[in-house]
Amino acid sequence: SAYVGESIGVKIKVFNRVKVVGAQPDFKYPSAFQIKNIEGQKSYTQMVGGNEYNVTELDAVLIPNREGDYKIDPALLVARIAVARRQRPRSFFDDLIGPTDMQEKRLRSEAAAIKVLPLPMQGRRKDFSGLVGSFAMTTDVSPRTGNAGDTLNLTVNIQGQGSSSSMSDPSLPFDASVA
């Protein structure tokens, strides 16, 4: 389970004992989620149960926009794998990857389910802006001095980790009596 606006890290690892080339993810997430794919895939080897596996790892972040119970369809990875070549003449590629043919395979994960909870009302500040995560806000004004009628530039910088898509515009209460 997760809360509306909470970042959910997704890591898909494909373990195999054959060479995988050009793995492309084909994932479909419910429309109630924002998806932020983390660029690039990682490839490495890992020992599991005394056997060495090639691992292809893909990462993404899901951010639910509304509450509810959601089914996440199986992740699909379309990849080409090297398989032992049947009897045929050698080619230039045999010297690079050995006597193999490339076949396209579709690898499928299990389906998953997630319950997205509404943000709790208890303890919520009156000025809650919709940010979910850890954020800091800084402001700056330039120039630092001026005369009545001069234009000043106010810069508001919000930095942090989390989802900002549901954030409302910041409220900037100005007090004319402060000089």
Side-chain angles (χ1 to χ4, degrees), residues 12-24:
I12 298 173
K13 290 183 176 183
V14 179
F15 291 80
N16 58 75
R17 304 216 31 205
V18 296
K19 183 174 180 64
V20 174
V21 178
Q24 296 295 318

Side-chain angles (χ1 to χ4, degrees), residues 5-55:
E6 182 179 1
S7 296
I8 305 165
V10 176
K11 183 179 296 289
I12 298 173
K13 290 183 176 183
V14 179
F15 291 80
N16 58 75
R17 304 216 31 205
V18 296
K19 183 174 180 64
V20 174
V21 178
Q24 296 295 318
D26 182 12
F27 310 138
K28 292 179 177 60
Y29 296 106
S31 62
F33 290 82
Q34 290 180 47
I35 299 99
K36 303 201 186 264
N37 290 313
I38 298 172
E39 290 300 317
Q41 66 186 34
K42 299 173 195 142
S43 297
Y44 53 91
T45 60
Q46 183 175 338
M47 294 296 288
V48 178
N51 294 312
E52 183 177 55
Y53 288 88
N54 298 311
V55 181

Side-chain angles (χ1 to χ4, degrees), residues 102-174:
M102 302 304 286
Q103 290 183 355
E104 184 175 287
K105 295 288 182 181
R106 295 180 165 306
L107 308 169
R108 181 183 294 269
S109 73
E110 298 292 323
I114 186 166
K115 182 175 187 69
V116 179
L117 305 168
L119 292 173
M121 296 299 290
Q122 184 177 355
R124 185 185 291 187
R125 293 172 40 159
K126 289 181 184 177
D127 62 347
F128 176 67
S129 68
L131 284 176
V132 177
S134 177
F135 295 90
M137 182 171 77
T138 58
T139 58
D140 189 28
V141 65
S142 65
R144 295 272 181 192
T145 60
N147 297 314
D150 287 352
T151 299
L152 302 176
N153 294 312
L154 174 65
T155 302
V156 178
N157 185 17
I158 301 172
Q159 290 183 297
Q161 293 183 334
S163 173
S164 61
S165 62
S166 62
M167 180 183 100
S168 58
D169 290 336
S171 174
L172 303 171
F174 290 103

